[in-house]
Structure formats: C-alpha cells, structure tokens
Amino acid sequence: MRHQKEVSLLELLNVINTNNDNLIHSYLKLHDYEYNFIKNKEQIDIKELTSYKTLLDHLITVLSPAQSLGFHLGFKLKDQANTQFDLLKVANDTVVNIEFKSETPNKKISKQATEHFRFLSMVFSRVIILEHLASTDELWIYDDKSKEMKLISYDKVKKLIPNDSTDLRVLSDLSRSDFLVAPYNEPEKFMKSAYELTSDQKEISHKIVSNATDMSMISKTNHMSMINGGPGSGKTLLLIDIVRELKKRDFSIGMVMGARPSSGQKELMEKLDVSLYWYYNLESLSPLIDKDVLVFDETQRITQNIIDEVKNLA
C-alpha cells in the first residue's frame, strides 16, 4: 500500500490558492496516491487540480472540520478494474467518491458514475458518488435506482459526509479474485454485476455478442463459438455474462447443462429468463429449436448425439 498522506480539504484549498506550482508539486508528492517517484512527477495535472477550487470553497463552508479530513487524492483501483477516483473518503462501511467534471452530466459521465458505484459496492454497503461541474458550479449525485445523476444542493452534502475516516487498505488490498464471482453459487452478486471481466474476457464477450447481433440482422445463418480454458479460468462467468448481454438484446436463449442443474443455476436462469435443460432429459434439441441462441455448459459431459446435432445446426 502506498504511504501517501490523507488530504484535508481546507489544506488542499489553501495550497491551490497559493497559485504556486512548486508548492503544489511538493504537496502532490506527499498526497497524490499515484505519484511517480521514479520520474518525480505527479499523476494529477496541476491545472486540473486548480479546478477543484470552486467546490472546495463550498465544502469547507458547509462541512465540519472532522468531515473535511481523511480524503485520498487520485487513488487508482488496478488489476481488472483499472479505474481512478479524484477524491475518496472511507469510513468503515461507507465510501464517498467526489469527481470533478467540466461539462454537464451526460450518458458518458453517468456511465463512469455507474462503474464507480459498481466497483465500490463490491466492498462498501453505502456508496455516495458526487460530481462537481466547473462550467456551471453545480453538484450532482448519482442515483443508483435510476442510474442517473441528479442535482443536489451544497447544504445537503453535510448529511452525506461521515465525520470519521479509515484508510484505503480495504481497496488497495483487492486482488484479481475479488473481482470475480461464481454465477451459479452467487446468483445475487452476479445479477448486481459485482464482478469485472479481464480485458481478454471483455474482448471475447464483445466479439461473440457482436457476431450474434450482426447475424440476426442480416441473415439466419447459424454460427458456433466455443470458450476454452482451464479450471478456475473464469469460463462460466464469461459464458453467463455473454448470456446476459444477449438477453439485453432480446435474444431468446436455451441452455443445456452437462450436469444436473443446481438450485443456484435454476435461480440464475430464472432471473435471466433463460430456458434451462439437463442433457440427461433431452433425447434431441427439439424443445430448444425455436430459440435464437443455444448455450452449452460442461460440454465434455453431454452425450454425443446432442453434440452431433449441435454441429449439424451450425
């Protein structure tokens, strides 16, 4: 874990108000979480940092001294997430993320807030995402129910920011396994998107979903894709993520399992509105032939006649 110092909003504002680049550089050397000590260069652009001034002026007016302490500047969640936060404050099960923007919230900005909320919700039960817009001096808060940004007055922020603070170890100690879920064993976490695919998995998912979408638009030509990988490589998570993406595009899906479906598998497929079958109860694919997409899991256990029928369909 980096040993960068926590940020006091009042101190940060005072440093910015000096308009002294050398002083700001020295400050960032102590507080910028991603400071590059090899190159002796801050990760946060000094000009960008000065754009924080307007919001900081508001915050130190409405927040108590305790609420203004314990922030972290420029923390980056690495590994699979690879996303960065302008300001973070952690207090046990609560995290506050403040982002600084130059334009009015749009779909792209809301998408970032949605992603930040998703990542932070993997760890914290209470997640608050705020975005300040320098162009209008407006403060917006992310509403997880509507997946949209909503205006909020500065005086209401006092009720959101905790007085106490804890360190970032709960985030900095995350490893790749913390970004994964077992869909069949943790259907609720999967449905809440409490996971993150690797870049390779995202590429595979995008190609398969795009191919299926393109072919459904231009022809009825069948196409087969196969996902290979060793035990624990995330094949099932990738497969069910693809299923969900296809369902979002209104594909009807039938799924054939190579083992007796568990209660978790049945629950997840019901939530996804996917027709689930155990190969043992299928003499042929006739019950699924009207589906847009057929999905097979644990194919090494599925009988040869079913496999041959799949090959003939493709």
Side-chain angles (χ1 to χ4, degrees):
M1 177 180 175
R2 296 280 184 114
H3 295 287
Q4 300 299 82
K5 293 184 178 181
E6 293 181 350
V7 170
S8 157
L9 299 186
L10 177 58
E11 182 182 61
L12 177 58
L13 177 61
N14 289 335
V15 170
I16 291 173
N17 281 336
T18 65
N19 292 315
N20 185 321
D21 286 358
N22 289 330
L23 178 60
I24 295 175
H25 172 81
S26 297
Y27 181 85
L28 291 175
K29 194 170 185 176
L30 294 173
H31 297 87
D32 180 355
Y33 206 91
E34 295 299 317
Y35 191 92
N36 190 326
F37 287 95
I38 295 176
K39 296 182 178 180
N40 193 29
K41 182 176 178 59
E42 60 275 353
Q43 175 272 147
I44 298 174
D45 184 76
I46 291 179
K47 290 184 178 179
E48 178 186 345
L49 188 68
T50 58
S51 70
Y52 295 10
K53 172 178 164 45
T54 306
L55 176 60
L56 294 175
D57 278 327
H58 290 294
L59 291 182
I60 64 168
T61 301
V62 298
L63 300 182
S64 69
Q67 288 177 304
S68 299
L69 299 174
F71 283 85
H72 298 270
L73 187 62
F75 173 76
K76 192 171 185 179
L77 196 60
K78 299 179 180 178
D79 208 343
Q80 284 166 251
N82 195 30
T83 191
Q84 189 165 357
F85 307 90
D86 290 343
L87 278 175
L88 279 179
K89 181 171 183 175
V90 174
N92 300 312
D93 64 344
T94 297
V95 61
V96 178
N97 170 214
I98 301 176
E99 295 293 315
F100 297 86
K101 306 294 179 183
S102 58
E103 302 174 352
T104 302
N106 52 33
K107 290 184 179 179
K108 183 177 181 180
I109 293 177
S110 297
K111 181 179 179 181
Q112 184 199 51
T114 301
E115 286 295 285
H116 281 194
F117 186 92
R118 182 169 68 86
F119 286 128
L120 295 174
S121 293
M122 294 182 192
V123 181
F124 303 98
S125 59
R126 182 170 178 248
V127 178
I128 299 162
I129 310 289
L130 298 169
E131 291 184 353
H132 178 257
L133 306 176
S135 58
T136 58
D137 191 21
E138 293 175 331
L139 189 63
W140 297 70
I141 187 168
Y142 178 71
D143 180 6
D144 181 48
K145 292 182 179 179
S146 64
K147 310 298 182 188
E148 296 177 347
M149 306 301 298
K150 296 185 177 181
L151 277 171
I152 182 175
S153 60
Y154 290 104
D155 59 336
K156 291 184 179 180
V157 177
K158 185 174 180 63
K159 297 180 180 180
L160 301 176
I161 310 295
N163 287 305
D164 57 335
S165 62
T166 50
D167 62 37
L168 283 179
R169 191 171 289 112
V170 66
L171 289 174
S172 61
D173 287 351
L174 290 176
S175 63
R176 178 178 175 180
S177 62
D178 293 302
F179 294 103
L180 302 177
V181 298
Y184 300 146
N185 296 331
E186 304 170 289
E188 292 294 336
K189 289 183 68 174
F190 177 84
M191 294 304 295
K192 291 180 180 178
S193 297
Y195 65 91
E196 179 73 0
L197 299 179
T198 65
S199 57
D200 288 342
Q201 289 173 325
K202 287 179 181 178
E203 184 177 351
I204 293 170
S205 176
H206 176 73
K207 285 182 178 179
I208 293 176
V209 173
S210 295
N211 285 339
T213 304
D214 291 343
M215 284 187 295
S216 70
M217 295 176 63
I218 63 176
S219 72
K220 293 295 182 180
T221 304
N222 293 324
H223 176 78
M224 180 185 293
S225 298
M226 184 177 295
I227 299 173
N228 294 314
S233 60
K235 296 189 302 297
T236 298
L237 177 58
L238 174 57
L239 180 67
I240 307 306
D241 182 80
I242 291 171
V243 167
R244 175 156 65 178
E245 290 302 311
L246 291 172
K247 286 300 298 183
K248 289 179 181 177
R249 291 158 175 78
D250 295 323
F251 283 87
S252 61
I253 299 177
M255 185 161 191
V256 180
M257 298 297 302
R260 183 192 294 272
S262 65
S263 59
Q265 290 167 336
K266 292 178 181 177
E267 178 186 349
L268 184 57
M269 292 305 111
E270 183 176 348
K271 289 180 182 294
L272 292 171
D273 190 26
V274 170
S275 300
L276 179 64
Y277 290 85
W278 180 25
Y279 83 93
Y280 187 80
N281 295 327
L282 288 175
E283 293 183 1
S284 72
L285 294 177
S286 297
L288 298 124
I289 208 67
D290 62 330
K291 302 298 182 182
D292 298 321
V293 178
L294 299 183
V295 179
F296 300 85
D297 197 7
E298 301 288 349
T299 54
Q300 73 274 14
R301 302 182 182 183
I302 296 177
T303 52
Q304 190 62 46
N305 68 300
I306 298 292
I307 298 297
D308 290 340
E309 195 170 350
V310 174
K311 291 179 179 178
N312 290 332
L313 287 174

mmCIF file of all heavy atoms in Angstrom, residues 196-233:
data_model
loop_
_atom_site.group_PDB
_atom_site.id
_atom_site.type_symbol
_atom_site.label_atom_id
_atom_site.label_comp_id
_atom_site.label_asym_id
_atom_site.label_seq_id
_atom_site.Cartn_x
_atom_site.Cartn_y
_atom_site.Cartn_z
ATOM 1 N N GLU A 196 -15.904 -8.101 -12.372
ATOM 2 C CA GLU A 196 -15.303 -7.413 -13.509
ATOM 3 C C GLU A 196 -14.524 -8.422 -14.337
ATOM 4 O O GLU A 196 -13.688 -9.162 -13.808
ATOM 5 C CB GLU A 196 -14.372 -6.292 -13.040
ATOM 6 C CG GLU A 196 -13.672 -5.541 -14.149
ATOM 7 C CD GLU A 196 -14.599 -4.614 -14.921
ATOM 8 O OE1 GLU A 196 -15.802 -4.543 -14.596
ATOM 9 O OE2 GLU A 196 -14.117 -3.960 -15.866
ATOM 10 N N LEU A 197 -14.812 -8.485 -15.611
ATOM 11 C CA LEU A 197 -14.092 -9.372 -16.507
ATOM 12 C C LEU A 197 -12.704 -8.811 -16.797
ATOM 13 O O LEU A 197 -12.475 -7.601 -16.694
ATOM 14 C CB LEU A 197 -14.851 -9.537 -17.823
ATOM 15 C CG LEU A 197 -16.261 -10.130 -17.761
ATOM 16 C CD1 LEU A 197 -16.852 -10.175 -19.163
ATOM 17 C CD2 LEU A 197 -16.257 -11.517 -17.135
ATOM 18 N N THR A 198 -11.793 -9.693 -17.194
ATOM 19 C CA THR A 198 -10.484 -9.228 -17.645
ATOM 20 C C THR A 198 -10.642 -8.598 -19.023
ATOM 21 O O THR A 198 -11.669 -8.749 -19.690
ATOM 22 C CB THR A 198 -9.486 -10.391 -17.733
ATOM 23 O OG1 THR A 198 -9.923 -11.302 -18.760
ATOM 24 C CG2 THR A 198 -9.390 -11.142 -16.413
ATOM 25 N N SER A 199 -9.615 -7.901 -19.474
ATOM 26 C CA SER A 199 -9.676 -7.267 -20.797
ATOM 27 C C SER A 199 -9.845 -8.317 -21.891
ATOM 28 O O SER A 199 -10.581 -8.098 -22.867
ATOM 29 C CB SER A 199 -8.417 -6.426 -21.047
ATOM 30 O OG SER A 199 -7.246 -7.219 -20.922
ATOM 31 N N ASP A 200 -9.181 -9.475 -21.747
ATOM 32 C CA ASP A 200 -9.325 -10.555 -22.737
ATOM 33 C C ASP A 200 -10.755 -11.092 -22.742
ATOM 34 O O ASP A 200 -11.332 -11.352 -23.808
ATOM 35 C CB ASP A 200 -8.348 -11.692 -22.444
ATOM 36 C CG ASP A 200 -6.912 -11.323 -22.774
ATOM 37 O OD1 ASP A 200 -6.715 -10.346 -23.525
ATOM 38 O OD2 ASP A 200 -5.996 -12.001 -22.271
ATOM 39 N N GLN A 201 -11.331 -11.277 -21.558
ATOM 40 C CA GLN A 201 -12.704 -11.769 -21.475
ATOM 41 C C GLN A 201 -13.686 -10.778 -22.086
ATOM 42 O O GLN A 201 -14.634 -11.167 -22.770
ATOM 43 C CB GLN A 201 -13.072 -12.052 -20.019
ATOM 44 C CG GLN A 201 -12.384 -13.273 -19.431
ATOM 45 C CD GLN A 201 -12.642 -13.418 -17.938
ATOM 46 O OE1 GLN A 201 -12.734 -12.436 -17.215
ATOM 47 N NE2 GLN A 201 -12.759 -14.649 -17.486
ATOM 48 N N LYS A 202 -13.457 -9.489 -21.829
ATOM 49 C CA LYS A 202 -14.328 -8.463 -22.410
ATOM 50 C C LYS A 202 -14.271 -8.514 -23.932
ATOM 51 O O LYS A 202 -15.297 -8.350 -24.610
ATOM 52 C CB LYS A 202 -13.900 -7.077 -21.919
ATOM 53 C CG LYS A 202 -14.242 -6.800 -20.465
ATOM 54 C CD LYS A 202 -13.752 -5.418 -20.063
ATOM 55 C CE LYS A 202 -14.047 -5.130 -18.608
ATOM 56 N NZ LYS A 202 -13.528 -3.800 -18.194
ATOM 57 N N GLU A 203 -13.078 -8.722 -24.471
ATOM 58 C CA GLU A 203 -12.920 -8.778 -25.922
ATOM 59 C C GLU A 203 -13.666 -9.977 -26.497
ATOM 60 O O GLU A 203 -14.341 -9.866 -27.534
ATOM 61 C CB GLU A 203 -11.434 -8.855 -26.281
ATOM 62 C CG GLU A 203 -11.166 -8.828 -27.777
ATOM 63 C CD GLU A 203 -9.685 -8.839 -28.114
ATOM 64 O OE1 GLU A 203 -8.868 -8.695 -27.186
ATOM 65 O OE2 GLU A 203 -9.355 -8.989 -29.306
ATOM 66 N N ILE A 204 -13.550 -11.119 -25.823
ATOM 67 C CA ILE A 204 -14.253 -12.323 -26.280
ATOM 68 C C ILE A 204 -15.765 -12.099 -26.233
ATOM 69 O O ILE A 204 -16.495 -12.417 -27.182
ATOM 70 C CB ILE A 204 -13.868 -13.535 -25.412
ATOM 71 C CG1 ILE A 204 -12.396 -13.898 -25.642
ATOM 72 C CG2 ILE A 204 -14.758 -14.735 -25.728
ATOM 73 C CD1 ILE A 204 -11.852 -14.919 -24.656
ATOM 74 N N SER A 205 -16.240 -11.556 -25.115
ATOM 75 C CA SER A 205 -17.673 -11.291 -24.962
ATOM 76 C C SER A 205 -18.169 -10.357 -26.057
ATOM 77 O O SER A 205 -19.218 -10.592 -26.678
ATOM 78 C CB SER A 205 -17.940 -10.690 -23.578
ATOM 79 O OG SER A 205 -19.301 -10.343 -23.425
ATOM 80 N N HIS A 206 -17.414 -9.296 -26.309
ATOM 81 C CA HIS A 206 -17.820 -8.317 -27.324
ATOM 82 C C HIS A 206 -17.912 -8.968 -28.703
ATOM 83 O O HIS A 206 -18.868 -8.721 -29.457
ATOM 84 C CB HIS A 206 -16.829 -7.159 -27.348
ATOM 85 C CG HIS A 206 -17.109 -6.149 -28.416
ATOM 86 N ND1 HIS A 206 -18.166 -5.269 -28.344
ATOM 87 C CD2 HIS A 206 -16.474 -5.895 -29.602
ATOM 88 C CE1 HIS A 206 -18.178 -4.511 -29.424
ATOM 89 N NE2 HIS A 206 -17.169 -4.863 -30.190
ATOM 90 N N LYS A 207 -16.936 -9.804 -29.050
ATOM 91 C CA LYS A 207 -16.923 -10.441 -30.369
ATOM 92 C C LYS A 207 -18.114 -11.379 -30.537
ATOM 93 O O LYS A 207 -18.795 -11.363 -31.572
ATOM 94 C CB LYS A 207 -15.616 -11.220 -30.558
ATOM 95 C CG LYS A 207 -14.408 -10.346 -30.835
ATOM 96 C CD LYS A 207 -13.165 -11.198 -31.064
ATOM 97 C CE LYS A 207 -11.957 -10.320 -31.390
ATOM 98 N NZ LYS A 207 -10.724 -11.125 -31.596
ATOM 99 N N ILE A 208 -18.383 -12.194 -29.512
ATOM 100 C CA ILE A 208 -19.483 -13.157 -29.612
ATOM 101 C C ILE A 208 -20.828 -12.455 -29.680
ATOM 102 O O ILE A 208 -21.684 -12.775 -30.513
ATOM 103 C CB ILE A 208 -19.441 -14.143 -28.430
ATOM 104 C CG1 ILE A 208 -18.191 -15.035 -28.545
ATOM 105 C CG2 ILE A 208 -20.702 -14.997 -28.390
ATOM 106 C CD1 ILE A 208 -18.000 -15.989 -27.378
ATOM 107 N N VAL A 209 -21.027 -11.476 -28.821
ATOM 108 C CA VAL A 209 -22.298 -10.746 -28.807
ATOM 109 C C VAL A 209 -22.476 -9.959 -30.104
ATOM 110 O O VAL A 209 -23.572 -9.938 -30.679
ATOM 111 C CB VAL A 209 -22.382 -9.817 -27.578
ATOM 112 C CG1 VAL A 209 -23.625 -8.933 -27.649
ATOM 113 C CG2 VAL A 209 -22.400 -10.632 -26.292
ATOM 114 N N SER A 210 -21.415 -9.337 -30.581
ATOM 115 C CA SER A 210 -21.496 -8.561 -31.828
ATOM 116 C C SER A 210 -21.803 -9.470 -33.009
ATOM 117 O O SER A 210 -22.623 -9.123 -33.879
ATOM 118 C CB SER A 210 -20.187 -7.804 -32.072
ATOM 119 O OG SER A 210 -19.963 -6.836 -31.080
ATOM 120 N N ASN A 211 -21.147 -10.636 -33.068
ATOM 121 C CA ASN A 211 -21.404 -11.576 -34.152
ATOM 122 C C ASN A 211 -22.851 -12.036 -34.154
ATOM 123 O O ASN A 211 -23.500 -12.103 -35.204
ATOM 124 C CB ASN A 211 -20.476 -12.786 -34.041
ATOM 125 C CG ASN A 211 -19.053 -12.484 -34.464
ATOM 126 O OD1 ASN A 211 -18.810 -11.516 -35.188
ATOM 127 N ND2 ASN A 211 -18.113 -13.299 -34.032
ATOM 128 N N ALA A 212 -23.362 -12.350 -32.959
ATOM 129 C CA ALA A 212 -24.746 -12.812 -32.850
ATOM 130 C C ALA A 212 -25.713 -11.714 -33.288
ATOM 131 O O ALA A 212 -26.693 -11.971 -34.003
ATOM 132 C CB ALA A 212 -25.045 -13.233 -31.417
ATOM 133 N N THR A 213 -25.429 -10.484 -32.873
ATOM 134 C CA THR A 213 -26.296 -9.361 -33.228
ATOM 135 C C THR A 213 -26.255 -9.077 -34.721
ATOM 136 O O THR A 213 -27.298 -8.876 -35.360
ATOM 137 C CB THR A 213 -25.876 -8.095 -32.456
ATOM 138 O OG1 THR A 213 -25.896 -8.365 -31.051
ATOM 139 C CG2 THR A 213 -26.820 -6.947 -32.753
ATOM 140 N N ASP A 214 -25.053 -9.074 -35.304
ATOM 141 C CA ASP A 214 -24.912 -8.798 -36.737
ATOM 142 C C ASP A 214 -25.627 -9.850 -37.573
ATOM 143 O O ASP A 214 -26.332 -9.523 -38.539
ATOM 144 C CB ASP A 214 -23.433 -8.751 -37.126
ATOM 145 C CG ASP A 214 -22.726 -7.542 -36.538
ATOM 146 O OD1 ASP A 214 -23.425 -6.596 -36.120
ATOM 147 O OD2 ASP A 214 -21.478 -7.550 -36.493
ATOM 148 N N MET A 215 -25.467 -11.116 -37.206
ATOM 149 C CA MET A 215 -26.064 -12.181 -37.998
ATOM 150 C C MET A 215 -27.580 -12.184 -37.885
ATOM 151 O O MET A 215 -28.286 -12.503 -38.835
ATOM 152 C CB MET A 215 -25.498 -13.534 -37.564
ATOM 153 C CG MET A 215 -24.090 -13.780 -38.080
ATOM 154 S SD MET A 215 -23.515 -15.428 -37.743
ATOM 155 C CE MET A 215 -23.459 -15.379 -35.953
ATOM 156 N N SER A 216 -28.112 -11.812 -36.725
ATOM 157 C CA SER A 216 -29.567 -11.774 -36.560
ATOM 158 C C SER A 216 -30.186 -10.678 -37.419
ATOM 159 O O SER A 216 -31.353 -10.750 -37.795
ATOM 160 C CB SER A 216 -29.923 -11.542 -35.096
ATOM 161 O OG SER A 216 -29.591 -10.229 -34.686
ATOM 162 N N MET A 217 -29.377 -9.671 -37.766
ATOM 163 C CA MET A 217 -29.880 -8.546 -38.557
ATOM 164 C C MET A 217 -29.789 -8.808 -40.058
ATOM 165 O O MET A 217 -30.620 -8.321 -40.829
ATOM 166 C CB MET A 217 -29.108 -7.271 -38.210
ATOM 167 C CG MET A 217 -29.311 -6.785 -36.786
ATOM 168 S SD MET A 217 -28.285 -5.345 -36.386
ATOM 169 C CE MET A 217 -28.937 -4.119 -37.540
ATOM 170 N N ILE A 218 -28.785 -9.583 -40.481
ATOM 171 C CA ILE A 218 -28.570 -9.708 -41.927
ATOM 172 C C ILE A 218 -28.961 -11.071 -42.498
ATOM 173 O O ILE A 218 -29.190 -11.197 -43.682
ATOM 174 C CB ILE A 218 -27.094 -9.434 -42.280
ATOM 175 C CG1 ILE A 218 -26.169 -10.478 -41.625
ATOM 176 C CG2 ILE A 218 -26.688 -8.040 -41.858
ATOM 177 C CD1 ILE A 218 -24.707 -10.309 -42.018
ATOM 178 N N SER A 219 -29.068 -12.103 -41.641
ATOM 179 C CA SER A 219 -29.402 -13.421 -42.181
ATOM 180 C C SER A 219 -29.771 -14.358 -41.047
ATOM 181 O O SER A 219 -29.703 -14.019 -39.880
ATOM 182 C CB SER A 219 -28.212 -14.004 -42.958
ATOM 183 O OG SER A 219 -27.184 -14.392 -42.058
ATOM 184 N N LYS A 220 -30.141 -15.553 -41.415
ATOM 185 C CA LYS A 220 -30.454 -16.599 -40.440
ATOM 186 C C LYS A 220 -29.320 -17.621 -40.352
ATOM 187 O O LYS A 220 -29.491 -18.709 -39.829
ATOM 188 C CB LYS A 220 -31.759 -17.303 -40.836
ATOM 189 C CG LYS A 220 -32.996 -16.420 -40.727
ATOM 190 C CD LYS A 220 -33.261 -16.022 -39.289
ATOM 191 C CE LYS A 220 -34.525 -15.188 -39.169
ATOM 192 N NZ LYS A 220 -34.811 -14.783 -37.771
ATOM 193 N N THR A 221 -28.158 -17.258 -40.871
ATOM 194 C CA THR A 221 -27.021 -18.168 -40.857
ATOM 195 C C THR A 221 -26.623 -18.511 -39.425
ATOM 196 O O THR A 221 -26.498 -17.634 -38.586
ATOM 197 C CB THR A 221 -25.812 -17.533 -41.569
ATOM 198 O OG1 THR A 221 -26.188 -17.172 -42.882
ATOM 199 C CG2 THR A 221 -24.653 -18.508 -41.614
ATOM 200 N N ASN A 222 -26.448 -19.788 -39.172
ATOM 201 C CA ASN A 222 -26.049 -20.219 -37.834
ATOM 202 C C ASN A 222 -24.542 -20.056 -37.651
ATOM 203 O O ASN A 222 -23.769 -20.109 -38.603
ATOM 204 C CB ASN A 222 -26.438 -21.684 -37.601
ATOM 205 C CG ASN A 222 -27.949 -21.860 -37.552
ATOM 206 O OD1 ASN A 222 -28.652 -20.990 -37.042
ATOM 207 N ND2 ASN A 222 -28.439 -22.966 -38.074
ATOM 208 N N HIS A 223 -24.153 -19.884 -36.404
ATOM 209 C CA HIS A 223 -22.739 -19.667 -36.090
ATOM 210 C C HIS A 223 -22.451 -20.286 -34.732
ATOM 211 O O HIS A 223 -23.287 -20.247 -33.828
ATOM 212 C CB HIS A 223 -22.425 -18.169 -36.065
ATOM 213 C CG HIS A 223 -21.014 -17.862 -35.663
ATOM 214 N ND1 HIS A 223 -19.951 -17.999 -36.530
ATOM 215 C CD2 HIS A 223 -20.488 -17.435 -34.485
ATOM 216 C CE1 HIS A 223 -18.827 -17.666 -35.906
ATOM 217 N NE2 HIS A 223 -19.128 -17.322 -34.671
ATOM 218 N N MET A 224 -21.280 -20.877 -34.602
ATOM 219 C CA MET A 224 -20.913 -21.514 -33.335
ATOM 220 C C MET A 224 -19.655 -20.862 -32.772
ATOM 221 O O MET A 224 -18.700 -20.598 -33.511
ATOM 222 C CB MET A 224 -20.662 -23.010 -33.536
ATOM 223 C CG MET A 224 -20.275 -23.749 -32.255
ATOM 224 S SD MET A 224 -19.842 -25.489 -32.549
ATOM 225 C CE MET A 224 -21.439 -26.146 -33.050
ATOM 226 N N SER A 225 -19.668 -20.582 -31.474
ATOM 227 C CA SER A 225 -18.485 -20.091 -30.761
ATOM 228 C C SER A 225 -18.190 -21.037 -29.617
ATOM 229 O O SER A 225 -19.110 -21.606 -29.005
ATOM 230 C CB SER A 225 -18.722 -18.680 -30.216
ATOM 231 O OG SER A 225 -18.955 -17.753 -31.251
ATOM 232 N N MET A 226 -16.907 -21.214 -29.311
ATOM 233 C CA MET A 226 -16.507 -22.109 -28.227
ATOM 234 C C MET A 226 -15.536 -21.388 -27.299
ATOM 235 O O MET A 226 -14.625 -20.694 -27.756
ATOM 236 C CB MET A 226 -15.850 -23.369 -28.780
ATOM 237 C CG MET A 226 -15.480 -24.399 -27.716
ATOM 238 S SD MET A 226 -14.781 -25.914 -28.442
ATOM 239 C CE MET A 226 -16.200 -26.519 -29.368
ATOM 240 N N ILE A 227 -15.753 -21.526 -25.999
ATOM 241 C CA ILE A 227 -14.881 -20.926 -24.992
ATOM 242 C C ILE A 227 -14.075 -22.032 -24.329
ATOM 243 O O ILE A 227 -14.638 -22.963 -23.739
ATOM 244 C CB ILE A 227 -15.703 -20.171 -23.923
ATOM 245 C CG1 ILE A 227 -16.487 -19.038 -24.578
ATOM 246 C CG2 ILE A 227 -14.790 -19.624 -22.828
ATOM 247 C CD1 ILE A 227 -17.453 -18.335 -23.640
ATOM 248 N N ASN A 228 -12.759 -21.941 -24.447
ATOM 249 C CA ASN A 228 -11.866 -22.931 -23.842
ATOM 250 C C ASN A 228 -11.090 -22.304 -22.693
ATOM 251 O O ASN A 228 -10.831 -21.097 -22.691
ATOM 252 C CB ASN A 228 -10.875 -23.475 -24.877
ATOM 253 C CG ASN A 228 -11.563 -24.285 -25.964
ATOM 254 O OD1 ASN A 228 -12.409 -25.121 -25.669
ATOM 255 N ND2 ASN A 228 -11.205 -24.037 -27.209
ATOM 256 N N GLY A 229 -10.698 -23.121 -21.740
ATOM 257 C CA GLY A 229 -9.896 -22.626 -20.629
ATOM 258 C C GLY A 229 -9.788 -23.662 -19.539
ATOM 259 O O GLY A 229 -10.644 -24.556 -19.421
ATOM 260 N N GLY A 230 -8.740 -23.557 -18.737
ATOM 261 C CA GLY A 230 -8.539 -24.496 -17.658
ATOM 262 C C GLY A 230 -9.450 -24.225 -16.467
ATOM 263 O O GLY A 230 -10.191 -23.232 -16.442
ATOM 264 N N PRO A 231 -9.393 -25.108 -15.458
ATOM 265 C CA PRO A 231 -10.196 -24.916 -14.247
ATOM 266 C C PRO A 231 -9.877 -23.581 -13.578
ATOM 267 O O PRO A 231 -8.709 -23.204 -13.452
ATOM 268 C CB PRO A 231 -9.773 -26.092 -13.360
ATOM 269 C CG PRO A 231 -9.244 -27.121 -14.305
ATOM 270 C CD PRO A 231 -8.593 -26.345 -15.410
ATOM 271 N N GLY A 232 -10.908 -22.849 -13.187
ATOM 272 C CA GLY A 232 -10.711 -21.590 -12.483
ATOM 273 C C GLY A 232 -10.339 -20.419 -13.375
ATOM 274 O O GLY A 232 -9.979 -19.349 -12.885
ATOM 275 N N SER A 233 -10.416 -20.607 -14.700
ATOM 276 C CA SER A 233 -10.030 -19.534 -15.622
ATOM 277 C C SER A 233 -11.155 -18.534 -15.870
ATOM 278 O O SER A 233 -10.950 -17.532 -16.560
ATOM 279 C CB SER A 233 -9.557 -20.123 -16.955
ATOM 280 O OG SER A 233 -10.588 -20.884 -17.560
#
